[in-house]
Amino acid sequence: MTGPEPPTPAPEVLLEQARTWMAEDPDPQTRAELTELLERPDGPDLPGLADRFASGLQFGTAGLRGAMGAGPNRMNRVVVTRAAAGLAAFVLERARAGSPAGPVDPGAVVIGYDARHLSDTFARDTAEVVAGAGLTALVLPRALPTPVLAFAVRHLGAAAGVMVTASHNPAADNGYKVYLGGPDDQGSQIVPPVDEQISAHIRAVGPLAGVARGTEWLTLGDEVLEAYLARATSLVDPASPRQVRVVYTAMHGVGASVATEALRRVGFTDVAPVLAQCTPDPDFPTVAFPNPEEPGALDLAFAQAQQVDADLVIANDPDADRCAVAVADRDGQWRRLSGDEVGALLAVHLVHRQAGSSPAGTMATTIVSSSMLGQVARANGLGYAETLTGFKFVSRVPGLVFGYEEALGYCVDPQAVRDKDGITAALLIAELAAVARAAGRTLLDELDAIDTTYGVHATRAVSYRVTDLAVIPSALHRLHSDPPVRLGGLPVEQAEDLSAGVDGLPPTDGVRYRLSHGVRVVVRPSGTEPKLKCYLEAVEQPDPDVAGARARAGTRLDGVQADLAVALGL
């Protein structure tokens, strides 16, 4: 995402910036893009140049992410080279200071990449720059899931890791995630103030001609992937049932070979892949957005599940750090479970597996996810924590034993992968579905039991995708300047400005409202996409009439959603 809109530079400044950029750009495609903008018959395309040069992609806790193309406001080889040089300088600085102690090799950087356009090129550029800085560059052997990279940082004792991916973003995008090793970071994604420290090093990078490039780096073999698979498959109880029919889709990403192999190794052999979506394809031809949360993204999987009479659908997003789960409802219609529903299923499944042992550790989720996890944790003698949105925060909770976020991200093995992991989540969901089927039940029956025990926690995520980024701050400004006093007919009992910091959490952009009848609303901008996101929750106390409690909660959410759209001016 880009930062605030700066003033547009004067035409002569734009032209000079573009020509300077072209002179050091190693990519013929982006040079050609700028040539076309500069040499049009009717004169230079100044708006097009301003779009690329008036601002730049901001290196933050999500690293870099944006559309590919020429200029500092796009993902390209120049931007990636500068990012790699800044990261290398940061790693060297930490190594010289002896901080953090812990990595086996404080100069090692593991580099992974997915199958998007130019991901392999960006990974190679990173390896060359890391090696040129005198560090040890370790490159994964091929395009692999993000959780394999996160695992490798810990497994190899590296100082840092880079994953070239834009996760579930559109095909035109790419991105750059950074992880840190050592006892303090434990292979998690970066958080403040490290993002700004790395960003300062990036800003200090001079002309690319002065960035040293090495030719000596190590392309890893399959030993890291084998270690990841061995750890992942060890999570499944060898004595649990395996009779469950699964339809699997990789959403044109890199998850298919790893996920299906993991399922096969533990005995889930009745797996039908959606062949049209299981070969990596950076153009994502069968989906408008390669995100299993988006309407229509799972249509091919649903059709196949209906055809083969499957028990469940499992989908990974393109870099396989997220996991979507779908089941047939009691009318035979397939629907995707929400991230909160899957989070509750996994949490209770993990608790039941530990029955008879002394519970220890903490379960964690984000302030926009269901509060159900807190009920489950406290009822079973576990700690509970809420963090800001983003798995980089969830993964750092002390004593973490399970963490999730409503955007389909689950961490079921934080001792191995300090990030969301769609492969291990898929394994445990398949195990739970098989256990339920052996008892004559379904995942819907398991959700009924959870709601009966802990109360109904109905959640709803509403996203407003925009083409004009100015719409997002304008809508938030409306909430700050003219906050609603009622939503859905319910009084707003507490309004919190998240930018001021709440509950001991760092400041973040957004607002949170608490209403009567256990209703909560959070509104925030997406950190990775041009979206305004709204998260609604309504809670009903435990009630044997689960259907009635869900209906009451749903009616409240309908009213709140309608009034919130008015309050936002959308």
Side-chain angles (χ1 to χ4, degrees), residues 84-162:
L87 174 63
F90 171 81
V91 172
L92 285 168
E93 182 179 72
R94 296 233 300 186
R96 286 193 294 266
S99 174
V104 174
D105 186 344
V109 179
V110 191
I111 302 160
Y113 57 98
D114 66 8
R116 284 178 177 266
H117 291 295
L118 292 183
S119 284
D120 56 347
T121 300
F122 292 164
R124 183 183 179 92
D125 282 332
T126 300
E128 290 180 354
V129 172
V130 166
L135 299 168
T136 304
L138 307 171
V139 184
L140 293 185
R142 56 186 173 279
L144 286 169
T146 291
V148 177
L149 181 279
F151 170 84
V153 174
R154 289 174 64 88
H155 179 70
L156 298 174
V162 170

Side-chain angles (χ1 to χ4, degrees), residues 187-374:
S188 294
Q189 290 185 58
I190 58 172
V191 295
V194 168
D195 57 335
E196 177 51 36
Q197 292 167 2
I198 296 174
S199 186
H201 282 292
I202 294 172
R203 291 192 296 270
V205 175
L208 288 199
V211 175
R213 288 179 177 262
T215 58
E216 300 291 331
W217 67 84
L218 177 63
T219 299
L220 299 169
D222 282 340
E223 62 278 359
V224 171
L225 177 59
E226 283 299 316
Y228 170 82
L229 284 168
R231 176 71 187 206
T233 53
S234 73
L235 302 178
V236 180
D237 183 351
S240 63
R242 296 292 188 272
Q243 297 304 309
V244 65
R245 180 166 295 166
V246 179
V247 165
Y248 171 81
T249 176
M251 206 66 62
H252 297 295
V254 295
S257 61
V258 180
T260 55
E261 176 63 12
L263 289 163
R264 185 196 66 78
R265 288 191 185 190
V266 296
F268 291 110
T269 57
D270 195 354
V271 178
V274 180
L275 295 179
Q277 295 179 330
C278 278
T279 299
D281 189 329
D283 294 317
F284 309 111
T286 68
V287 290
F289 291 96
N291 180 353
E293 292 181 290
E294 294 284 345
L298 297 179
D299 284 355
L300 289 180
F302 289 169
Q304 185 161 326
Q306 193 79 36
Q307 183 179 6
V308 303
D309 192 25
D311 295 295
L312 77 160
V313 166
I314 293 176
N316 287 135
D317 68 338
D319 69 328
D321 64 347
R322 301 180 189 223
C323 178
V325 179
V327 297
D329 64 22
R330 291 174 176 109
D331 294 325
Q333 299 300 307
W334 282 84
R335 77 168 179 93
R336 179 181 63 80
L337 301 181
S338 72
D340 287 319
E341 288 174 317
V342 177
L345 287 168
L346 287 171
V348 172
H349 182 49
L350 291 170
V351 165
H352 287 171
R353 285 178 42 162
Q354 296 175 358
S357 61
S358 299
T362 298
M363 290 183 165
T365 190
T366 69
I367 60 173
V368 302
S369 302
S370 170
S371 58
M372 168 77 82
L373 188 64

Side-chain angles (χ1 to χ4, degrees), residues 24 52 60 103 133 154 185 223 293 362 388 395 426:
E24 64 176 6
R52 290 161 176 78
R154 289 174 64 88
D185 300 290
E223 62 278 359
E293 292 181 290
T362 298
L388 296 181
S395 66

Side-chain angles (χ1 to χ4, degrees), residues 322-476:
R322 301 180 189 223
C323 178
V325 179
V327 297
D329 64 22
R330 291 174 176 109
D331 294 325
Q333 299 300 307
W334 282 84
R335 77 168 179 93
R336 179 181 63 80
L337 301 181
S338 72
D340 287 319
E341 288 174 317
V342 177
L345 287 168
L346 287 171
V348 172
H349 182 49
L350 291 170
V351 165
H352 287 171
R353 285 178 42 162
Q354 296 175 358
S357 61
S358 299
T362 298
M363 290 183 165
T365 190
T366 69
I367 60 173
V368 302
S369 302
S370 170
S371 58
M372 168 77 82
L373 188 64
Q375 297 279 18
V376 173
R378 288 185 285 266
N380 290 281
L382 293 165
Y384 173 67
E386 287 186 1
T387 73
L388 296 181
T389 55
F391 233 89
K392 54 190 171 285
F393 299 114
V394 174
S395 66
R396 292 170 178 270
V397 169
L400 184 70
V401 293
F402 171 68
Y404 93 93
E405 61 181 356
E406 55 75 39
L408 309 185
Y410 317 96
C411 178
V412 299
D413 186 19
Q415 295 307 307
V417 176
R418 282 274 169 169
D419 198 6
K420 51 187 179 289
D421 184 345
I423 308 295
T424 50
L427 289 174
L428 291 191
I429 279 292
E431 179 185 45
L432 174 56
V435 169
R437 178 177 173 174
R441 297 164 61 83
T442 68
L443 292 184
L444 295 181
D445 295 320
E446 298 303 315
L447 286 171
D448 286 348
I450 291 171
D451 284 358
T452 300
T453 302
Y454 300 102
V456 168
H457 292 65
T459 59
R460 185 178 301 174
V462 182
S463 293
Y464 297 97
R465 185 179 290 273
V466 302
T467 55
D468 179 4
L469 291 179
V471 170
I472 293 176
S474 175
L476 288 171

Side-chain angles (χ1 to χ4, degrees), residues 466-515:
V466 302
T467 55
D468 179 4
L469 291 179
V471 170
I472 293 176
S474 175
L476 288 171
H477 177 72
R478 285 174 63 100
L479 293 186
H480 287 299
S481 62
D482 187 21
V485 295
R486 299 180 74 85
L487 290 170
L490 301 175
V492 176
E493 297 182 340
Q494 184 179 19
E496 298 171 294
D497 180 358
L498 300 181
S499 66
V502 297
D503 299 334
L505 297 174
T508 188
D509 199 7
V511 296
R512 179 169 64 185
Y513 301 125
R514 297 189 187 276
L515 288 65

